Amino acid sequence: MDTSLPARSRIRAPRRPGVWRQGWRRLRRNRTGMLGLTLVALVVLVAVFCPLLAPYNPDDQSAMMSFGASAPPAWSHIMGTDRLGYDIASRIVYGAPTALTVGVGAMLIASLIGVTIGGISGYAGGLADELLMRFTEFFLVIPVFLVILSVVRLFGIIVVGTWLESVPHLNLGTIIVLLGVFGWPPIARLTRAEFLRLRQLEFVEAARCIGARRRDILLRHILPNALPSIIVVVALGVGAAILSEAMISFLGFGDPNAVSWGQLLYFNYETLKVAPWASLAPGAAIFITVLGFNLLADGLSDAFNPRLRQ
Amino acid sequence: MTAPLLDVEALSIEFQTPSRKVRPVDGVDFAIGRNQTLGLVGESGSGKTMSSLGLLRLVPRPGRIVGGRIGFDGQDLLALSEPEMAALRGRRMAMVFQNPAYSLNPLLTIGRQLGEIVAWHERLGRADAEARVADLLGLVGIADPGARLRQFPHELSGGMKQRVCIARALLCDPWLILADEPTTNLDVTIQAQILDLLRSLKERLHTAMLLVTHDMGVVARMADRITVMYAGRVCETADARTIFRAPLHPYTIALLESVPRADRAYDRGRRETLPVIGGRLPDMTHPPAGCRFHPRCPEAIAECSRVLPLATPVAPGHVVSCIRRGSASIPVAA
Amino acid sequence: MGILRFILRRLMFAVVLIVGVSAIIFFLVNAIGNPVAMLAASQPNATEDSVAELTRYYHLDQPAWLRYLLWLWNLARLDFGSSITYNQPVAQMLAIWGFETLKIQIPAILLALGLAILIATIASRRQGSRLDFGVMSTALLGQSLPAFLMGVLLILVFAYWLGIFPSYGAYSTRTLLLHSSLADGLWHMVLPVAMLTFFNTATLTLLLRANMVEVLRHDYIMAARASGLPERRIIFGHALRNAIIPVLTYLGILFGLMLATAPVTETVFTWPGLGFLYINAIQQLDYPVIMGESVVIAAMLVLATLATDIAYVLIDPRIRLD
């Protein structure tokens, strides 16, 4: 027992650092959270430096002529080549920016919709709340993945012959928008709950009493305090959106012009028996990315709500 | 005097996590005779609740009992095997918890969760067990016990729930009831009813009781003897009358002075204001050296931080640990 | 009385849901034009006459809203129409392919629930131990390993390398041609069920363990201990009973997730279920099948959530239906 310290000095409460710094400090001590952050950072770095990291051009099929298609890993092609003669390592590296674009893009859209709807419904209450919550409930019960699949397919046919056809990566854009448009209900639910909780806390009450404008109360007092919880759901959502894109591409409804892990799996799944590396590599990339975001979300929720879980 | 029913000596409970070590209960002694009520008094965080859980050997992890002896009806409870201890819980020694709203399982009917306990301890069938439960519900003053058996906790009021909890503690005619702040979470009017109920039941059933509370008013009504705790240690133990008439330990005195009294006027304009104990309970990871009360004690001298006061009898049945009152002491390790 | 009213309200919600989902899909399908003509464009032996005949048969010459109302009217009589590409009644197809889907999904959910109860109970009892840490890490990894990737691994190891289980289909070709065999069907189920069970178990274990840890901290558990009840009864009779409620409600959501991602998991195993059928149907623009299947899956989801809600009410007396 430490008896050398004067007792009185211990009584004073230390100055409390802000939510973010406190959260970061706790996250740094959280093993799962840091593992997740490391994995996510890895994917981000690969995505940023993909031209430097990739040994070949992702569209280079010349291995077909020399090295051979579906060839096992070797020094010149460290993950082997796939059925179409692409260097798998290069495809994997170039798949990272695609995956992140999908994840972040979809969640940007979802957050915008979700925070707006959830915020209005949590702060305004009453009939607006009732209506909006029924609406989110509706979205929660429809088999979202099936609807997205058919919309992607049908939209791909509808645009044939229109000016939209010339938009680059139109198919990928469609997938991102759909994932965003169908991905907001969890964010809305959480935002609503947080706004409901925060709306009746003293500092918001105080802001209202001194006559702060409603917009200021919402944007400067409530929203910043709801953000930590929202970020946890968004981090989970990024992982889920990346996984959804991978599954859509695996089923053959992906963007033929984009380099994506799901598509790599789609092209090479038939040759799983003879060239397992061509399926395992993209599978591992998807797993690592999804795992990274899930662990990060787990760590963040521990860091921001230390009481909630031990 | 015959041997007491419960005799706790030097009980210590320690919580150890990789980063720190805390002793919420540090060498505590107290005793309860048969049919007697002991009031265990102190601020929240002084180790009262932990001591009572320690008696049942139910200290939550990562805490554990690290020393002492719990003599109960001539046995040392710390020497019993876990099954022997389990057979004793609820049968010989039963507990009433602080918050009746949380201490009943919300998913089971009253009849089912109380009946289960009787059935287990007394090896009774379901019907017999429920009949016993109904008897006890009647005894604790619940009207129409037969109907209550089929109700769920959320269908009862707070006072009613606490009555059910008391009935649960009495199911198997225990020798000792541990009541942990039994009225703290109740409305003031209900508090009085519950206290009266506890007292009358104790008389009728010849049960001893350990009443854990922070409320001097409650012990004044209920207790035969009082033990005052501060930061995991015992300050003073004496008859209730002595504690209220002639308290010795500075903490006891301060505690009594901080109770508002109807016969005095407390007003900011006048000279007399309600005295408070300055400072706050120490951080238990780094408790003060020597007497733990000395940083807040009005009578503290330099010596108080250098020696550990020992519980010393000053009169028959009156024990104090304060060097200013002549208690023995040992120097603290530097 | 209360419960009937509740069920009735839920069913009304289901009807609204089904009309909504089917309308979206119907008008999207129709935005692409005449699906028969589009299909015929890829079929060299389709004649103009047969296209015209099929167009008339499917009322494709009528306005879209009229056809939608007609479709709804037929749906009300449980007539899903007939498939464009398979030339079979959609209702019959859904029954056959749906059976194959449920055949792997339901065992996977039930097995996972049992396993999760077992694992989470043990882990929460030894909270903070190495065993607990191992279980939690595995579950966290398992929850992040998408079921279809697990399927790819299982096929590679158990079908291709070890050669124990078949890699595709619900029956062997020989069985399909000669005779039906229960053993053969079960043999084909092993890997797909294992794939789904692994993911479900990981998810449910994480949830149940978190709830158990939370419940074990409650006063009523301490009170039960203080009453001298045996540990086994405290864990199963008190703690698990309280901890499992959120898990049961989650089962409905999990089932929905599994049905919605069935196209992926069934593609991995070439499993002749609803998911596989759906992929074929949207590739072939077989709109009666697309719509019929969307409706059936939405209905299954509503029924699953309804079932979990009723279970909730039966277990938790505090929940009132209103």
Side-chain angles (χ1 to χ4, degrees), chain B residues 206-222:
Chain B
H206 304 291
T207 311
M209 179 156 73
L210 176 73
L211 179 67
V212 174
T213 181
H214 67 279
D215 187 338
M216 289 310 265
V218 171
V219 274
R221 281 172 80 139
M222 306 283 294

mmCIF file of all heavy atoms in Angstrom, chain B residues 206-222:
data_model
loop_
_atom_site.group_PDB
_atom_site.id
_atom_site.type_symbol
_atom_site.label_atom_id
_atom_site.label_comp_id
_atom_site.label_asym_id
_atom_site.label_seq_id
_atom_site.Cartn_x
_atom_site.Cartn_y
_atom_site.Cartn_z
ATOM 1 N N HIS B 206 -37.638 -14.498 17.201
ATOM 2 C CA HIS B 206 -36.392 -14.672 17.947
ATOM 3 C C HIS B 206 -35.207 -14.803 17.017
ATOM 4 O O HIS B 206 -34.447 -15.777 17.062
ATOM 5 C CB HIS B 206 -36.469 -15.887 18.885
ATOM 6 C CG HIS B 206 -37.620 -15.782 19.819
ATOM 7 N ND1 HIS B 206 -37.665 -14.848 20.831
ATOM 8 C CD2 HIS B 206 -38.795 -16.455 19.870
ATOM 9 C CE1 HIS B 206 -38.808 -14.980 21.472
ATOM 10 N NE2 HIS B 206 -39.524 -15.938 20.898
ATOM 11 N N THR B 207 -35.068 -13.832 16.147
ATOM 12 C CA THR B 207 -33.980 -13.849 15.180
ATOM 13 C C THR B 207 -33.023 -12.725 15.535
ATOM 14 O O THR B 207 -33.443 -11.683 16.025
ATOM 15 C CB THR B 207 -34.549 -13.581 13.777
ATOM 16 O OG1 THR B 207 -35.652 -14.440 13.590
ATOM 17 C CG2 THR B 207 -33.526 -13.827 12.707
ATOM 18 N N ALA B 208 -31.738 -12.963 15.271
ATOM 19 C CA ALA B 208 -30.778 -11.863 15.416
ATOM 20 C C ALA B 208 -30.713 -11.117 14.084
ATOM 21 O O ALA B 208 -31.102 -11.654 13.054
ATOM 22 C CB ALA B 208 -29.403 -12.405 15.773
ATOM 23 N N MET B 209 -30.233 -9.854 14.138
ATOM 24 C CA MET B 209 -30.222 -9.101 12.893
ATOM 25 C C MET B 209 -28.985 -8.226 12.806
ATOM 26 O O MET B 209 -28.554 -7.613 13.781
ATOM 27 C CB MET B 209 -31.491 -8.241 12.808
ATOM 28 C CG MET B 209 -31.552 -7.396 11.560
ATOM 29 S SD MET B 209 -33.252 -6.977 11.137
ATOM 30 C CE MET B 209 -33.617 -5.794 12.384
ATOM 31 N N LEU B 210 -28.421 -8.194 11.608
ATOM 32 C CA LEU B 210 -27.370 -7.228 11.320
ATOM 33 C C LEU B 210 -27.997 -6.179 10.416
ATOM 34 O O LEU B 210 -28.405 -6.476 9.300
ATOM 35 C CB LEU B 210 -26.192 -7.897 10.601
ATOM 36 C CG LEU B 210 -25.086 -6.932 10.175
ATOM 37 C CD1 LEU B 210 -24.284 -6.453 11.372
ATOM 38 C CD2 LEU B 210 -24.160 -7.568 9.163
ATOM 39 N N LEU B 211 -28.100 -4.956 10.925
ATOM 40 C CA LEU B 211 -28.753 -3.911 10.158
ATOM 41 C C LEU B 211 -27.681 -2.960 9.627
ATOM 42 O O LEU B 211 -27.036 -2.254 10.390
ATOM 43 C CB LEU B 211 -29.739 -3.159 11.053
ATOM 44 C CG LEU B 211 -30.496 -2.016 10.391
ATOM 45 C CD1 LEU B 211 -31.448 -2.547 9.341
ATOM 46 C CD2 LEU B 211 -31.261 -1.232 11.442
ATOM 47 N N VAL B 212 -27.500 -2.993 8.318
ATOM 48 C CA VAL B 212 -26.478 -2.150 7.704
ATOM 49 C C VAL B 212 -27.150 -0.879 7.223
ATOM 50 O O VAL B 212 -28.130 -0.942 6.492
ATOM 51 C CB VAL B 212 -25.838 -2.885 6.509
ATOM 52 C CG1 VAL B 212 -24.880 -1.961 5.777
ATOM 53 C CG2 VAL B 212 -25.120 -4.130 6.978
ATOM 54 N N THR B 213 -26.651 0.272 7.653
ATOM 55 C CA THR B 213 -27.296 1.512 7.227
ATOM 56 C C THR B 213 -26.357 2.695 7.356
ATOM 57 O O THR B 213 -25.345 2.641 8.049
ATOM 58 C CB THR B 213 -28.583 1.775 8.032
ATOM 59 O OG1 THR B 213 -29.175 2.974 7.570
ATOM 60 C CG2 THR B 213 -28.271 1.917 9.509
ATOM 61 N N HIS B 214 -26.680 3.770 6.680
ATOM 62 C CA HIS B 214 -25.914 5.001 6.847
ATOM 63 C C HIS B 214 -26.733 5.992 7.665
ATOM 64 O O HIS B 214 -26.307 7.098 7.920
ATOM 65 C CB HIS B 214 -25.597 5.602 5.480
ATOM 66 C CG HIS B 214 -26.824 6.095 4.773
ATOM 67 N ND1 HIS B 214 -27.662 5.246 4.093
ATOM 68 C CD2 HIS B 214 -27.367 7.320 4.674
ATOM 69 C CE1 HIS B 214 -28.667 5.946 3.597
ATOM 70 N NE2 HIS B 214 -28.520 7.199 3.934
ATOM 71 N N ASP B 215 -27.932 5.559 8.075
ATOM 72 C CA ASP B 215 -28.906 6.469 8.650
ATOM 73 C C ASP B 215 -28.935 6.318 10.177
ATOM 74 O O ASP B 215 -29.380 5.302 10.704
ATOM 75 C CB ASP B 215 -30.276 6.134 8.038
ATOM 76 C CG ASP B 215 -31.342 7.145 8.443
ATOM 77 O OD1 ASP B 215 -31.161 7.816 9.473
ATOM 78 O OD2 ASP B 215 -32.347 7.227 7.729
ATOM 79 N N MET B 216 -28.438 7.309 10.911
ATOM 80 C CA MET B 216 -28.399 7.232 12.364
ATOM 81 C C MET B 216 -29.804 7.101 12.938
ATOM 82 O O MET B 216 -30.003 6.462 13.974
ATOM 83 C CB MET B 216 -27.727 8.477 12.949
ATOM 84 C CG MET B 216 -26.228 8.541 12.715
ATOM 85 S SD MET B 216 -25.348 7.038 13.160
ATOM 86 C CE MET B 216 -24.810 7.389 14.805
ATOM 87 N N GLY B 217 -30.776 7.713 12.272
ATOM 88 C CA GLY B 217 -32.153 7.630 12.742
ATOM 89 C C GLY B 217 -32.645 6.197 12.755
ATOM 90 O O GLY B 217 -33.338 5.761 13.679
ATOM 91 N N VAL B 218 -32.296 5.449 11.723
ATOM 92 C CA VAL B 218 -32.738 4.057 11.629
ATOM 93 C C VAL B 218 -32.136 3.224 12.748
ATOM 94 O O VAL B 218 -32.835 2.486 13.433
ATOM 95 C CB VAL B 218 -32.374 3.483 10.239
ATOM 96 C CG1 VAL B 218 -32.614 1.987 10.212
ATOM 97 C CG2 VAL B 218 -33.175 4.175 9.154
ATOM 98 N N VAL B 219 -30.804 3.366 12.977
ATOM 99 C CA VAL B 219 -30.211 2.545 14.046
ATOM 100 C C VAL B 219 -30.759 2.936 15.404
ATOM 101 O O VAL B 219 -30.924 2.093 16.267
ATOM 102 C CB VAL B 219 -28.668 2.620 14.104
ATOM 103 C CG1 VAL B 219 -28.068 1.633 13.163
ATOM 104 C CG2 VAL B 219 -28.155 4.006 13.872
ATOM 105 N N ALA B 220 -31.045 4.218 15.576
ATOM 106 C CA ALA B 220 -31.581 4.666 16.867
ATOM 107 C C ALA B 220 -32.869 3.913 17.185
ATOM 108 O O ALA B 220 -33.110 3.534 18.331
ATOM 109 C CB ALA B 220 -31.841 6.164 16.835
ATOM 110 N N ARG B 221 -33.697 3.675 16.154
ATOM 111 C CA ARG B 221 -34.959 2.969 16.381
ATOM 112 C C ARG B 221 -34.778 1.482 16.589
ATOM 113 O O ARG B 221 -35.575 0.853 17.268
ATOM 114 C CB ARG B 221 -35.852 3.127 15.149
ATOM 115 C CG ARG B 221 -36.549 4.436 15.058
ATOM 116 C CD ARG B 221 -37.202 4.507 13.722
ATOM 117 N NE ARG B 221 -38.450 3.774 13.701
ATOM 118 C CZ ARG B 221 -39.526 4.241 13.096
ATOM 119 N NH1 ARG B 221 -39.498 5.414 12.502
ATOM 120 N NH2 ARG B 221 -40.627 3.540 13.089
ATOM 121 N N MET B 222 -33.766 0.911 15.921
ATOM 122 C CA MET B 222 -33.739 -0.531 15.776
ATOM 123 C C MET B 222 -32.673 -1.251 16.608
ATOM 124 O O MET B 222 -32.890 -2.373 17.042
ATOM 125 C CB MET B 222 -33.477 -0.900 14.301
ATOM 126 C CG MET B 222 -34.432 -0.281 13.327
ATOM 127 S SD MET B 222 -36.016 -1.115 13.338
ATOM 128 C CE MET B 222 -35.539 -2.699 12.698
#
